[in-house]
Amino acid sequence: MTDVHVVGTGLLGTSLGLALVRAGHDVTLEDAVPTHAALARDLGAGRLPGPGEPSGPDLVVVAAPPDVTAGCVLDALRRWPQAVVTDVASVKGVVLRALEASGVDLARYCGSHPMAGRERSGAVAGRADLFDGRAWVLTPTTATARSATDLVATVARAAGAAVRELDPASHDAAVAVVSHLPQLASSLVAARLASLDDDAVALAGQGLRDVTRIAASDPHLWTQILAGNARAVREVLSGLADDLDRVLEALAALEDGGDVPGARGTLAAAVAAGNAGQARLPGKHGATPTAYTTVRVLLPDEPGQLGRLFADIGEIGTNVEEFHLDHGLGQQLGLAEVDVVPAAAAGLVHALADRGWRIHG
Amino acid sequence: MTDVHVVGTGLLGTSLGLALVRAGHDVTLEDAVPTHAALARDLGAGRLPGPGEPSGPDLVVVAAPPDVTAGCVLDALRRWPQAVVTDVASVKGVVLRALEASGVDLARYCGSHPMAGRERSGAVAGRADLFDGRAWVLTPTTATARSATDLVATVARAAGAAVRELDPASHDAAVAVVSHLPQLASSLVAARLASLDDDAVALAGQGLRDVTRIAASDPHLWTQILAGNARAVREVLSGLADDLDRVLEALAALEDGGDVPGARGTLAAAVAAGNAGQARLPGKHGATPTAYTTVRVLLPDEPGQLGRLFADIGEIGTNVEEFHLDHGLGQQLGLAEVDVVPAAAAGLVHALADRGWRIHG
């Protein structure tokens, strides 16, 4: 068992505590605001350290806002001379530069970034399974001891994550595209709704809801993230701005029934380029954590069928990780998507088929 | 019962046929590509007309691509002199202008637009419940007979939709913001993924997946929609482009640790404006059609609990429209979200509470 001390009990710190307690580790909790740490404890994320505790944690995880992360890491390296220290800030270069500027020996430091989050923040939004099946990026440098990197990797896996290694610059360039760009796009689209009248808002469909879901994210946190990765974000955002200008030109050419040669081609190319990019994403729209396998069961869309299905699953003894019911499919059927751990999938399929359920490939 | 003839058996035409057959109406199917109509029939969306059929449909629904919609509507008005004719094109002004230019009497025509769609297209993507709980906008003009508008409204409701009326210009301005803008934003973000290396794509999380889901949409269809609403789309897109320029300036000012006064404020304002806009959307991230009410039940995260819950719901006799299981919540609990028709919600809550289930506000 690894003794882990978590500094900062917001969404990530609390979720990590919950996941590590679940995995049987001893977790102590600390926050600049003591009542926040107490709340995380009450939620089951760990215990508050007694006097003089933690005396010798194996790992200190700094889960503080990006702007104060480097200071907290330096503080942790000084307070616990034997401990490995990591942080979970969404930006790595800005933190590393501040640490290097301090001149401290960084052998015991390995930066990291779990690719998990929610549009909600704070301890109450914490989830024990926040990291399950998610990537957790480690960003060791040449100064980092291999043993430090290995310990952080061990704890990240204990939290349910899949560990990857990237250098800090590559990490920051990657998240600028896969995380910071979509956040800004979602915010900018949602901002156009502010002045819309209610009749128009009432027409909102699933597409707009999906695109703007993360627009509910915390402005204070995101200002720190975007400012901390300003160059990489600006570069990818400039590329999008150039594409946007081409689309605006094409739309202007097509106004009032105009049909300038090439204008429609520009619009089609923009949407087609989106097809190509979207197709690169793994998973079926990410609806299911990659850690789970989906078993699809066709069931009659009438009262009691779900009860019968789950009673059968209960008898079979398989635990359901996630579940979604999709109606329609053309015929009057519902499609139940039952997500289970991969090892349980084959057995569940056979047991359900034996009970007469129609399994949908 | 209303006799409905559907012209065009893609996603919308097929889904409408499925929904109306479900509601007991007689639906005949026609498509420029006969095999497409035959496929829709095989999926249960209606029947193929016999010789001389349909002789006198009450309503003809043109569900063709926007560019050919006006022509199909004119054709339908001529072929069936007694029938009311509507279309389901996503853009109304461009269709109406073409019809008016033809000089035909438009008393029997009422344009409409069901606010329902999928990122997949074609008859095989059709769903009987595609319109359930969705808005279906009718866009009658002063030329439209009230009886025509009423018939289209009746059929839209029979398909499960909630009917609204808007003038064509207001409709086009509204969908430019709630539909066409998010489509372009999603496509432009997804396009940035095309050149990304696999290590970076592997870091994609739920946020990017949500923002880019509709980037999988059909470029041909969307070119027609965007070109058909070019002015309104350009206007809202220009507003977004201006906001984007301000963000780019702020990022440039913050590069390499620079901290020009106001730059962070610009970033925070952009994200905060997104908060305000996103908050205007009805429903919890639109996960549930507005037609349903969600009952939240806390349940232990252990085998058999879902079976017990659904067995109880089965006994209670409430039909479950949608269901989602959300793990975590800090403690080792799962949160079951059971969506039922509003009228059934209160009774289900009490009956479940009586059986000892913890209902989560």
Side-chain angles (χ1 to χ4, degrees):
Chain A
M1 287 305 94
T2 312
D3 290 353
V4 179
H5 184 58
V6 175
V7 177
T9 54
L11 169 66
L12 288 179
T14 300
S15 296
L16 178 59
L18 290 163
L20 294 178
V21 166
R22 176 186 66 177
H25 296 276
D26 179 39
V27 178
T28 49
L29 304 166
E30 170 183 343
D31 195 283
V33 182
T35 55
H36 290 181
L39 173 59
R41 174 203 57 195
D42 294 346
L43 291 170
R47 62 186 181 87
L48 299 184
E53 278 198 308
S55 54
D58 302 302
L59 176 68
V60 178
V61 179
V62 173
D67 283 2
V68 299
T69 291
C72 293
V73 169
L74 287 172
D75 182 54
L77 288 168
R78 292 197 195 93
R79 282 165 69 189
W80 297 287
Q82 309 305 322
V84 170
V85 179
T86 189
D87 73 292
V88 297
S90 309
V91 283
K92 308 309 330 168
V94 67
V95 172
L96 182 63
R97 285 190 291 274
L99 293 173
E100 288 173 340
S102 76
V104 70
D105 175 9
L106 295 176
R108 291 185 288 121
Y109 169 74
C110 176
S112 75
H113 178 207
M115 303 303 298
R118 306 185 69 185
E119 66 276 18
R120 292 160 52 200
S121 58
V124 291
R127 300 167 45 128
D129 67 349
L130 188 70
F131 308 104
D132 286 350
R134 303 294 184 186
W136 191 316
V137 182
L138 308 191
T139 56
T141 66
T142 51
T144 310
R146 188 69 233 174
S147 57
T149 305
D150 293 343
L151 180 61
V152 177
T154 301
V155 171
R157 290 194 189 93
V163 171
R164 300 174 179 276
E165 281 191 31
L166 282 175
D167 64 88
S170 299
H171 165 274
D172 287 357
V175 292
V177 182
V178 304
S179 173
H180 306 169
L181 174 68
Q183 176 61 57
L184 279 170
S186 182
S187 299
L188 292 171
V189 168
R192 311 315 304 171
L193 302 175
S195 58
L196 215 56
D197 65 34
D198 293 341
D199 278 353
V201 172
L203 301 188
Q206 194 58 47
L208 178 64
R209 292 188 171 100
D210 287 348
V211 169
T212 58
R213 181 181 62 83
I214 57 175
S217 300
D218 177 13
H220 303 289
L221 171 63
W222 272 97
T223 299
Q224 296 183 28
I225 293 172
L226 296 169
N229 200 23
R231 177 180 293 274
V233 175
R234 188 188 54 75
E235 283 173 4
V236 61
L237 205 57
S238 299
L240 184 145
D242 294 341
D243 293 347
L244 179 56
D245 288 341
R246 276 187 285 276
V247 169
L248 283 166
E249 278 175 34
L251 290 169
L254 290 164
E255 279 185 25
D256 311 319
D259 202 352
V260 176
R264 284 171 176 261
T266 299
L267 298 180
V271 178
N275 290 172
Q278 197 271 348
R280 294 200 61 200
L281 292 177
K284 49 174 195 47
H285 313 312
T288 309
T290 51
Y292 301 146
T293 298
T294 300
V295 175
R296 294 178 179 77
V297 185
L298 282 164
L299 71 168
D301 180 16
E302 54 192 48
Q305 292 306 307
L306 274 171
R308 195 166 68 80
L309 174 63
F310 276 97
D312 284 354
I313 292 174
E315 282 176 25
I316 295 165
T318 307
N319 197 17
V320 175
E321 304 295 343
E322 296 288 341
F323 179 93
H324 188 258
L325 179 63
D326 192 10
H327 275 259
L329 285 180
Q331 299 89 336
Q332 295 307 310
L333 290 170
L335 177 65
E337 297 190 322
V338 185
D339 299 330
V340 299
V341 291
L348 178 62
V349 168
H350 290 115
L352 285 175
D354 290 346
R355 286 169 164 74
W357 290 101
R358 291 169 57 192
I359 309 300
H360 185 80
Chain B
M1 290 301 95
T2 312
D3 291 353
V4 178
H5 183 59
V6 175
V7 178
T9 54
L11 169 66
L12 289 179
T14 300
S15 296
L16 179 60
L18 291 163
L20 293 178
V21 166
R22 176 185 65 177
H25 295 276
D26 178 39
V27 178
T28 48
L29 304 167
E30 168 183 344
D31 194 283
V33 183
T35 55
H36 289 180
L39 172 58
R41 174 204 57 195
D42 294 346
L43 290 169
R47 62 186 181 86
L48 300 183
E53 277 198 308
S55 54
D58 303 302
L59 176 68
V60 178
V61 180
V62 172
D67 283 1
V68 299
T69 292
C72 293
V73 168
L74 287 174
D75 182 53
L77 288 168
R78 291 197 195 92
R79 281 165 69 188
W80 297 287
Q82 308 306 321
V84 170
V85 179
T86 188
D87 72 291
V88 298
S90 308
V91 284
K92 307 306 339 162
V94 67
V95 173
L96 182 63
R97 285 190 291 275
L99 294 174
E100 288 172 340
S102 76
V104 71
D105 174 8
L106 295 176
R108 290 186 288 123
Y109 168 73
C110 175
S112 75
H113 177 209
M115 302 304 297
R118 305 185 68 184
E119 66 276 18
R120 292 160 52 202
S121 58
V124 291
R127 300 168 45 129
D129 68 347
L130 188 71
F131 308 104
D132 286 351
R134 303 295 186 185
W136 190 317
V137 182
L138 309 191
T139 57
T141 65
T142 51
T144 310
R146 188 70 231 174
S147 56
T149 305
D150 292 343
L151 180 61
V152 177
T154 300
V155 170
R157 292 194 187 94
V163 172
R164 298 174 180 278
E165 281 190 32
L166 281 176
D167 65 88
S170 300
H171 165 276
D172 287 357
V175 293
V177 182
V178 303
S179 173
H180 307 168
L181 174 67
Q183 177 61 55
L184 278 169
S186 183
S187 298
L188 291 171
V189 169
R192 311 317 302 173
L193 302 174
S195 58
L196 215 56
D197 66 33
D198 294 342
D199 278 354
V201 172
L203 302 188
Q206 193 58 45
L208 178 65
R209 292 187 171 99
D210 288 347
V211 169
T212 59
R213 181 182 62 83
I214 56 174
S217 300
D218 176 16
H220 304 288
L221 171 63
W222 273 96
T223 298
Q224 295 183 30
I225 293 172
L226 297 169
N229 200 24
R231 177 180 292 275
V233 174
R234 188 187 54 73
E235 283 172 3
V236 62
L237 205 56
S238 298
L240 184 146
D242 294 342
D243 293 347
L244 178 56
D245 288 342
R246 278 187 283 277
V247 168
L248 282 167
E249 279 175 33
L251 290 169
L254 290 164
E255 279 185 23
D256 312 320
D259 202 353
V260 176
R264 284 172 177 261
T266 300
L267 298 181
V271 179
N275 290 171
Q278 198 271 347
R280 294 200 61 198
L281 290 178
K284 46 175 206 38
H285 313 313
T288 309
T290 51
Y292 302 145
T293 298
T294 300
V295 175
R296 296 179 178 76
V297 186
L298 282 164
L299 71 168
D301 182 16
E302 53 192 48
Q305 292 307 306
L306 273 171
R308 194 165 69 80
L309 174 63
F310 276 97
D312 284 355
I313 293 174
E315 282 176 26
I316 295 164
T318 307
N319 196 18
V320 176
E321 304 295 342
E322 295 288 341
F323 180 93
H324 188 257
L325 179 63
D326 191 11
H327 274 259
L329 285 178
Q331 299 89 333
Q332 295 306 310
L333 292 169
L335 177 65
E337 297 189 322
V338 185
D339 300 331
V340 299
V341 292
L348 179 61
V349 167
H350 289 116
L352 286 174
D354 290 347
R355 287 169 164 74
W357 292 101
R358 292 169 56 191
I359 309 300
H360 184 79

